[in-house]
Amino acid sequence: MNAWDNHITGNEKFQLMGKLKKVRRQPLSAAFISKEKEIAQDFIKLKEAEVSILSQRAKLHDIIYNDISSYFFFAKIKERQQCQMIGDITGSDGMHYHGPQEVGDAFVEYYRQLLGTSLRVQAVDADTIASGVCLILWLSIPFCSDNPCITSIFLWDYIKLDGKIIKDMDRTQAFQIAMKTWAKWVDSAVDHTRTKVVYQGISASHYHGADFGKSKAQNCIAEMSPVLGSSSPSPPSPGEEIMKRILGQMKSPAYFLDISLLTQLRPDAHPKSFVNPQHSGADCTHWCIAGVPDSWNLLMDAAFKLF
C-alpha cells in the first residue's frame, strides 16, 4: 500500500506532515525510480528543444540585422563616393556638362588646352632666353622610398661611379651622390643673374597605413578624407634631409618648393584603383587632377612674385 494513501486523523496540516513522514520512511519502489528517470529524460529533451528554438531565433535575428547593417554600410560608402563626385560643371567654353562621362571629358579638354599638345608647343629659342628671365624647374621623385612599387622602377644591374662598376647601391646613397652632382652643375653652369632655379621637393606616397596614421590599412585605397591637423603621423622621407642640406650648401641655392608635408596629409587624393576599375592594385603614388598638384602649382605661382 502506498504510504501516501494511509488515513491520518487530524487537521489538514497534521495529515500532510504525517503522510510526508511515512513517505520518507518508505523505501522507493523500482517503478517509482524508473518513472522518475523517464520524467528527467523528457525534461532534458524539452530543454534541448527550447535551446534549439532559441538558437534558430538568434540566427534569424542575426541574419536580418546583419543584412540591414551591411546595406547601411555600403549605402554610406556609396553616399561618400557620390559626395566627392562632380555631377555637373561649366566648361571654359561656357557650356554645361552633366554626368561622369561629360564631366570627365570636360576636365581632359581643359587640361589639354592648358598644357598644349605636341602640335602647339614651340621650342624656346635663344632670343627668348636672352631677352628675359629663364626658369629651370627640377622635380624630385620618391627616390629614397622603401616601397617596392617604387624601388622596382629604379632597379639597376650595375652602376658606374668614379670609374668603377659596382653591383647596384643603396638608394639613399645614390640620391645623395646625384644631388651633389646636380648642385655642382647648377653652381657652375647656370647664370644666376638671369636664371632662377626652382627645386620641387618629394611628393609623398601612401602604400602603408602607417604613412597616414592607420596601422591596419594596407594602402590608400579606402581613404576618403585628408589627415586632420598640420603634422604628418609619419616621418619625412630620408631624402628630404639630404635635399635640404645640399641645397643649403650651394653657392647660389635654388628656391626650394617644399611640397612634402602638403602631400603627406592627402592619402585620399590618389587615383587608387579608379584609373582602371579592373586593376586589383592601388596607385598611391600619383595624384588625381584636379587635386593636390593644383595646390603646389598655386604655391609656385605665388613664388614667381618673389623672383
Side-chain angles (χ1 to χ4, degrees):
M1 183 178 179
N2 195 326
W4 193 259
D5 296 332
N6 290 335
H7 178 72
I8 298 176
T9 304
N11 59 33
E12 293 180 355
K13 183 177 180 182
F14 182 81
Q15 291 179 22
L16 175 62
M17 295 302 295
K19 289 184 178 183
L20 288 175
K21 288 179 181 180
K22 289 182 178 296
V23 168
R24 186 181 301 171
R25 289 195 296 266
Q26 182 180 1
L28 297 176
S29 65
F32 183 85
I33 294 174
S34 176
K35 189 65 174 178
E36 183 183 31
K37 290 182 178 179
E38 182 182 344
I39 293 174
Q41 291 175 355
D42 290 341
F43 177 78
I44 292 173
K45 290 180 180 179
L46 289 173
K47 294 302 293 184
E48 289 177 346
E50 182 184 14
V51 171
S52 176
I53 292 173
L54 292 175
S55 176
Q56 291 177 24
R57 284 182 179 177
K59 289 180 180 178
L60 181 61
H61 182 277
D62 187 59
I63 291 173
I64 293 173
Y65 283 93
N66 272 354
D67 284 347
I68 294 174
S69 299
S70 299
Y71 175 80
F72 177 77
F73 172 78
F74 287 108
K76 293 301 291 184
I77 291 294
K78 185 176 181 180
E79 179 184 342
R80 292 179 66 180
Q81 290 176 340
Q82 289 176 343
C83 287
Q84 294 188 335
M85 293 179 62
I86 300 175
D88 56 83
I89 193 172
T90 302
S92 56
D93 54 1
M95 298 288 292
H96 294 283
Y97 299 94
H98 304 278
Q101 185 64 46
E102 290 188 5
V103 170
D105 292 343
F107 269 111
V108 170
E109 182 60 28
Y110 171 78
Y111 279 97
R112 182 182 289 118
Q113 294 178 8
L114 184 66
L115 301 175
T117 66
S118 59
L119 298 177
R120 299 177 184 175
V121 175
Q122 297 179 352
V124 179
D125 56 32
D127 292 336
T128 303
I129 297 176
S131 62
V133 176
C134 182
L135 177 72
I136 301 177
L137 174 63
W138 291 86
L139 307 179
S140 178
I141 55 178
F143 195 81
C144 301
S145 173
D146 61 351
N147 172 34
C149 298
I150 296 176
T151 54
S152 61
I153 300 173
F154 308 105
L155 186 63
W156 303 283
D157 291 328
Y158 297 97
I159 295 175
K160 188 174 183 180
L161 179 64
D162 296 331
K164 298 179 180 179
I165 297 178
I166 58 178
K167 177 71 174 178
D168 209 347
M169 70 186 305
D170 178 75
R171 297 296 186 275
T172 303
Q173 182 183 0
F175 181 69
Q176 181 168 285
I177 294 172
M179 278 294 298
K180 287 182 178 179
T181 303
W182 171 83
K184 289 179 181 178
W185 175 83
V186 171
D187 279 338
S188 62
V190 175
D191 183 356
H192 294 278
T193 61
R194 293 187 305 162
T195 304
K196 187 64 179 179
V197 180
V198 177
Y199 192 93
Q200 180 176 298
I202 296 174
S203 169
S205 61
H206 298 91
Y207 283 97
H208 307 289
D211 295 335
F212 44 91
K214 295 183 179 179
S215 58
K216 295 183 179 180
Q218 294 183 351
N219 51 42
C220 71
I221 197 165
E223 297 310 300
M224 306 292 287
S225 58
V227 175
L228 299 179
S230 56
S231 60
S232 172
S234 63
S237 165
E240 191 171 335
E241 187 276 330
I242 295 173
M243 233 178 351
K244 292 179 179 179
R245 175 165 47 82
I246 293 177
L247 289 174
Q249 294 171 351
M250 295 174 65
K251 295 178 182 178
S252 300
Y255 181 86
F256 181 38
L257 183 64
D258 189 355
I259 64 168
S260 296
L261 178 58
L262 165 70
T263 57
Q264 280 181 301
L265 301 178
R266 294 302 306 276
D268 59 309
H270 296 291
K272 306 173 187 177
S273 61
F274 296 113
V275 173
N276 182 2
Q278 297 179 346
H279 181 55
S280 59
D283 183 351
C284 299
T285 300
H286 299 94
W287 303 97
C288 293
I289 296 177
V292 173
D294 295 289
S295 299
W296 72 59
N297 286 340
L298 291 173
L299 294 175
M300 173 63 74
D301 182 63
F304 286 162
K305 298 178 173 60
L306 302 176
F307 298 159

